[in-house]
Amino acid sequence: MSATKAQDIGGLGHSVRRKEDARFVRGKGRYVDDVKLKNMCYLALVRSPYAHARLKGIDISAAMEVPGVLAVVTGKDLEEAGLAWMPTLSHDQQMVLATGKVLFQGQEVAAVVAESRFAAADGAAAVRVDYEELPVVVDPHAALEKDAPVLREDRDEKSNHIFHWEAGDRDATDAIFDASDVVVTQDMVYQRCHPAPLECCACVADWDAVNEKMTIYMTSQAPHAHRTLFALVAGLPEHKIRIISPDVGGGFGNKVPIYPGYVVSAVASLKLGRPVKWTEERSGNLQSTGFARDYHMHAELAATKDGKIRALRVKTLGDHGAFNAAAQPSKFPAGFYNICSGSYDLENAFVEVDGAYTNKAPGGIAYRCSFRVTEASYLIERTVDVLADELGIDPAEIRKKNFIAPEKFPYATPLGWTYDSGNYAGAMDRALEMVGYEDLLKEQEDKRGRGELMGIGISSFTEIVGAGPGKQCDIAGIEMFDSCEVRIHPTGKVLARIGVQTQGQGHETTFAQILAEELGIPVGDITVEHGDTDTAPYGLGTYASRSTPVAGAATAVAARKVRAKAKKIAAYLLEVDEADLEWKDYAFRVKGAPDKTKTMQDVAFAAYTNVPEGLEAGLEAVDYYDPPNMTYPFGTYICVVDIDKGTGDWKVRKFVAVDDCGTIINPMVVEGQIHGGLTEGFAISKMQLIEYDEGGNITGGNFMEYLIPTAVETPHYDTDKTVTPSPHHPIGAKGVGESPNVGSPAAFVNAVIDALSPYGVRHIDMPITSDKVWKVLRDAGIQD
Ligand code: CDP
């Protein structure tokens, strides 16, 4: 078999000898549902049918009569143990099981543990709950009105207002608006949607009374952080808790928070002394676990007549549901929403966000998004199109006119971030070329002449990923570093353990490639482990595309620490001074005598058998990496749609995605990430919405109403890249997983609006379903 150099496949890893090595994405082959333990019993949750109601009483007698039922747990039981409430990641507290009243439909009211799944479900159905209905608030604007019922009686503040947050210079921004030629404004809602991972949440809690140790197999994106939270809530020492996160069937932010099902399973296992398994049902997942977005946004741009954008002003109301359980760094109540100045060089900007409680499921999780970045990107990319429309300037031209120029990096934005590197015009030029922009514009003109509806949508997003510098970012007080531990065995085989936790992103492959590149050891000789708190070094977990920027950096740095020690041993073996050695072409070589070399494998054996005096044996290192800055990936997406005038349906004819995530470790993994995220962005823009009626009844709580695009609906994507390395990351890599979900909704929506713009249409809120378009066409009198 002929050797293929890393460059041939366009990625990292000298020791990727065959293309297949880089194409093989490994996994553990075991999900929570595969965990089968002796004496295991099963837990089912009783959920509230009401969105807001007082609990008058819970009768468990019929449930206890169901054959196989072992126990019923209620909020009262938890209250007695001091476990009725748990802290959220956003300084709030959340009921584990309802006490006093329920606050959203689908809320967990009681739990039944039984010998089988079926008995547990029968038991749950037999629990009788007496509710007294209370007035329901589903609109966050109504929630903030003076006469709105106060939902959270447990709080001292007697209002539904959660927080006010702002960034930027209000007065300076106002002054620019007052002095500008043109001001455009646009209201838009980024609707409530849900990551809907293929695997719902699940856990097996196993209390070992002999060793007094709790092991929890759990669908967790952040096992270490979860162990700390369990320790804090349960009062157990951390070394008596082991979280094992096996293969996870998709996370997308949904598996960052701790949910009641996990906590009650642990309590039940402690009580019964048996392993307890909880597997969430699909509707439970959609109805009660972390939803995303629900941001009600008002955007304004001030500009000159010739299209130079001067300032941005944003006012937003976030609907957080019944508990503020947004999973994000604790100092950022609106996440990284202040990335909303996007790719543009502005004189100033001001953004403010308020949060409100409503009778909806809690959350506000970062669904494939680095904490409200998707909302921010959608806002700016939509509003720039509104401005282009107002001024009659081509959307590509107006963007180019306002991009931050490459020589301005590092670039400090008026909203507080310092972008590390970028070449926005470079990515856009490549995308325009790939899509054939000039030809498309001519075709569109012809079609418009014939009354046909064709649209071109552009989105030139800038992202912020890699939380984060510990000083800025923490989860429950723990700074957001990440880690890698590298051990080279005497035979030159490597075991690496990382603090992040993959949910299908392929870390076992890409992190092995980083090590192969740094250590000169073949990928096939490197095993990467993660997801077990008893063995992996402490890390904050995988979400918000932080794995590569933070744990990927830790991996490179840990390998370099190993290499530094290995160099001392190599010098000893070669009988030269350390200063006479160089690391070149994946081996230590004596300068000027390239034949005198030692490979890492040579050194590894010597590290355990023949070390120089004064040096300790072994070849391993650990690194806890605190990044100096975030990384700022970017890209340009261009979407071309055709609208059927008869039905209002819009079809994506072409979609070009040019991404820049700095140095690419594995092109196939990156392309997979882009395709997946684009499909999610497509689904959000066209078909997904978690909606509530006035009574707080959820519509969209099952896959009949909450639609997942299949291969039939999913568009074809043409992808390409530019490479602008991050100057502060050890290998120049930026994150990529979130980019397509962050950048694409605006491209899809801008394309549909562009098709309708000759008829005065400026905005339609997502999801842009065919019936919404049909109504617009009907109202404009332009149907076939
Ligand atoms: O945190 P998460 O793994 O979800 O996101 P990420 O850091 O963006 O990485 C997603 C996958 O793409 C991982 O396997 C990365 O190692 C890989 N990747 C890459 O090959 N090159 C990059 N520049 C960025 C990510």
Side-chain angles (χ1 to χ4, degrees):
M1 190 174 297
S2 67
T4 302
K5 289 230 171 89
Q7 298 90 295
D8 296 341
I9 57 165
L12 267 191
H14 116 87
S15 306
V16 179
R17 301 239 179 258
R18 301 163 302 148
K19 283 191 180 177
E20 306 88 85
D21 283 342
R23 283 166 182 270
F24 174 54
V25 177
R26 307 168 203 183
K28 299 175 200 155
R30 199 177 192 217
Y31 293 84
V32 170
D33 215 41
D34 299 326
V35 176
K36 293 191 174 55
L37 302 178
K38 218 171 134 202
N39 273 337
M40 196 154 74
C41 47
Y42 299 83
L43 183 136
L45 291 167
V46 177
R47 295 181 182 279
S48 167
Y50 294 105
H52 197 198
R54 205 159 293 286
L55 282 180
K56 305 283 284 178
I58 301 180
D59 179 358
I60 64 166
S61 52
M64 289 303 291
E65 295 296 311
V66 173
V69 167
L70 299 166
V72 179
V73 188
T74 65
K76 268 219 162 70
D77 302 325
L78 295 181
E79 219 163 33
E80 281 156 21
L83 292 172
W85 293 78
M86 59 182 182
T88 72
L89 296 175
S90 287
H91 308 293
D92 198 358
Q93 56 167 1
Q94 174 174 356
M95 287 179 205
V96 177
L97 295 174
T99 53
K101 62 178 188 169
V102 291
L103 286 160
F104 64 93
Q105 189 177 61
Q107 186 176 342
E108 303 81 355
V109 175
V112 177
V113 188
E115 295 288 356
S116 72
R117 255 177 208 177
F118 305 104
D122 288 350
V127 173
R128 294 278 158 261
V129 187
D130 192 7
Y131 298 97
E132 180 190 305
E133 283 187 72
L134 295 167
V136 171
V137 184
V138 288
D139 176 359
H141 297 280
L144 295 186
E145 275 167 20
K146 272 212 169 63
D147 55 350
V150 175
L151 305 183
R152 291 287 300 278
E153 290 164 356
D154 58 294
R155 293 171 82 236
D156 291 338
E157 301 86 345
K158 295 300 166 216
S159 96
N160 298 319
H161 185 254
I162 311 175
F163 64 83
H164 175 82
W165 169 88
E166 53 188 54
D169 187 331
R170 185 196 291 265
D171 292 340
T173 304
D174 287 351
I176 296 171
F177 269 84
D178 291 344
S180 286
D181 306 339
V182 184
V183 171
V184 291
T185 64
Q186 185 61 55
D187 287 328
M188 59 191 99
V189 179
Y190 202 129
Q191 81 274 24
R192 180 174 276 239
C193 50
H194 197 284
L198 279 183
E199 182 196 23
C200 298
C201 297
C203 74
V204 177
D206 183 17
W207 171 245
D208 174 349
V210 175
N211 295 305
E212 293 186 323
K213 184 158 183 172
M214 175 69 83
T215 300
I216 307 177
Y217 302 83
M218 172 174 172
T219 47
S220 167
Q221 291 182 234
H224 284 282
H226 284 165
R227 183 183 61 171
T228 302
L229 290 171
F230 269 109
L232 292 172
V233 171
L236 279 173
E238 264 171 311
H239 68 284
K240 292 290 181 186
I241 303 173
R242 180 182 186 186
I243 307 278
I244 301 174
S245 189
D247 275 341
V248 175
F252 311 110
N254 186 236
K255 289 163 183 165
V256 176
I258 291 196
Y259 296 117
Y262 299 135
V263 178
V264 188
S265 300
V267 172
S269 180
L270 267 166
K271 245 184 128 87
L272 296 170
R274 292 174 61 173
V276 175
K277 180 184 269 192
W278 170 61
T279 311
E280 190 183 43
E281 65 294 10
R282 172 61 59 192
S283 54
N285 183 257
L286 283 171
Q287 287 172 3
S288 71
T289 66
F291 71 89
R293 326 295 191 228
D294 219 339
Y295 253 30
H296 302 246
M297 310 184 286
H298 173 80
E300 297 173 89
L301 282 178
T304 61
K305 278 196 203 88
D306 60 354
K308 178 78 194 84
I309 307 171
R310 298 190 61 201
L312 168 73
R313 202 161 50 189
V314 177
K315 194 168 169 54
T316 290
L317 179 59
D319 182 341
H320 285 250
F323 308 102
N324 185 12
Q328 60 201 359
S330 60
K331 294 188 193 94
F332 294 85
F336 300 161
Y337 191 58
N338 49 329
I339 191 78
C340 58
S341 55
S343 310
Y344 307 107
D345 194 358
L346 308 182
E347 288 171 45
N348 228 318
F350 178 71
V351 47
E352 59 188 321
V353 181
D354 289 274
Y357 289 120
T358 58
N359 288 120
K360 298 177 183 170
I365 52 119
Y367 167 20
R368 207 172 188 155
C369 157
S370 192
F371 318 118
R372 303 294 185 187
V373 178
T374 309
E375 291 91 321
S377 175
Y378 178 71
L379 173 127
I380 185 71
E381 288 306 303
R382 236 347 341 263
T383 315
V384 167
D385 258 35
V386 170
L387 179 67
D389 184 58
E390 173 80 17
L391 296 174
I393 300 177
D394 176 84
E397 194 188 319
I398 201 166
R399 284 177 168 81
K400 277 193 172 181
K401 196 180 183 100
N402 288 287
F403 278 154
I404 300 159
E407 61 276 11
K408 284 203 165 180
F409 291 88
Y411 174 85
T413 76
L415 293 174
W417 301 112
T418 301
Y419 294 177
D420 57 350
S421 63
N423 179 2
Y424 303 144
M428 172 171 268
D429 284 343
R430 179 70 191 118
L432 292 174
E433 183 193 327
M434 281 171 74
V435 84
Y437 194 62
E438 292 305 321
D439 291 344
L440 284 172
L441 288 179
K442 281 193 200 100
E443 181 191 342
Q444 187 182 44
E445 204 182 325
D446 290 349
K447 287 200 161 150
R448 281 187 175 163
R450 297 197 295 271
E452 292 175 36
L453 303 177
M454 167 189 165
I456 308 166
I458 300 178
S459 169
S460 288
F461 64 94
T462 291
E463 245 225 290
I464 169 172
V465 301
K471 278 196 189 70
Q472 283 172 296
C473 299
D474 71 272
I475 294 279
I478 307 159
E479 293 192 1
M480 293 183 75
F481 58 83
D482 228 292
S483 59
C484 175
E485 189 184 281
V486 182
R487 185 173 304 162
I488 308 189
H489 300 305
T491 52
K493 310 290 187 243
V494 179
L495 172 66
R497 288 174 167 146
I498 52 178
V500 288
Q501 157 63 28
T502 184
Q503 311 107 46
Q505 295 93 325
H507 296 166
E508 296 92 341
T509 303
T510 51
F511 282 56
Q513 285 181 257
I514 296 173
L515 290 164
E517 182 70 11
E518 296 290 337
L519 298 172
I521 290 177
V523 168
D525 288 348
I526 301 172
T527 296
V528 176
E529 289 184 358
H530 54 93
D532 183 339
T533 55
D534 264 11
T535 55
Y538 204 106
L540 272 293
T542 290
Y543 38 86
S545 287
R546 64 183 299 279
S547 300
T548 306
V550 194
T555 303
V557 174
R560 287 173 194 179
K561 286 183 184 173
V562 167
R563 214 166 67 197
K565 180 174 181 185
K567 193 175 183 189
K568 292 186 197 306
I569 300 171
Y572 171 69
L573 295 176
L574 290 163
E575 297 178 347
V576 295
D577 202 81
E578 231 190 289
D580 295 329
L581 276 187
E582 60 182 348
W583 174 259
K584 204 174 160 211
D585 294 336
Y586 310 106
F588 295 106
R589 296 174 197 278
V590 178
K591 290 176 194 165
D595 291 349
K596 290 187 78 179
T597 66
K598 286 289 169 197
T599 63
M600 194 60 81
Q601 287 89 339
D602 300 332
V603 172
F605 195 71
Y608 294 88
T609 56
N610 181 22
V611 288
E613 217 176 298
L615 196 71
E616 63 185 26
L619 199 52
E620 58 187 72
V622 58
D623 188 69
Y624 289 84
Y625 188 83
D626 183 7
N629 189 5
M630 314 272 182
T631 66
Y632 296 83
F634 59 91
T636 292
Y637 296 158
I638 305 183
C639 174
V640 185
V641 301
D642 298 299
I643 299 181
D644 181 324
K645 283 206 258 175
T647 63
D649 191 26
W650 53 276
K651 288 222 158 43
V652 177
R653 188 205 311 174
K654 209 168 190 165
F655 195 103
V656 163
V658 176
D659 273 275
D660 193 319
C661 58
T663 306
I664 290 176
I665 302 160
N666 186 314
M668 189 202 69
V669 169
V670 166
E671 195 176 4
Q673 294 285 313
I674 306 283
H675 276 238
L678 292 178
T679 302
E680 287 174 326
F682 168 71
I684 291 166
S685 62
K686 187 161 189 177
M687 56 185 81
Q688 293 184 335
L689 167 67
I690 302 275
E691 207 176 13
Y692 292 79
D693 69 13
E694 280 183 2
N697 299 300
I698 183 169
T699 57
N702 58 65
F703 277 165
M704 292 297 284
E705 286 155 323
Y706 193 76
L707 302 178
I708 304 291
T710 68
V712 174
E713 296 86 16
T714 301
H716 173 84
Y717 309 115
D718 292 316
T719 60
D720 202 1
K721 59 178 184 299
T722 56
V723 176
T724 312
S726 167
H728 64 78
H729 188 279
I731 65 166
K734 303 180 178 186
V736 75
E738 325 284 327
S739 295
N741 196 327
V742 165
S744 70
F748 291 112
V749 173
N750 285 346
V752 176
I753 302 301
D754 182 52
L756 298 171
S757 65
Y759 305 98
V761 177
R762 208 180 220 192
H763 181 74
I764 302 174
D765 273 328
M766 297 187 292
I768 306 190
T769 52
S770 45
D771 66 303
K772 276 191 192 170
V773 176
W774 184 86
K775 281 178 190 145
V776 167
L777 295 174
R778 181 198 57 193
D779 294 348
I782 48 171
Q783 266 170 342
D784 282 339

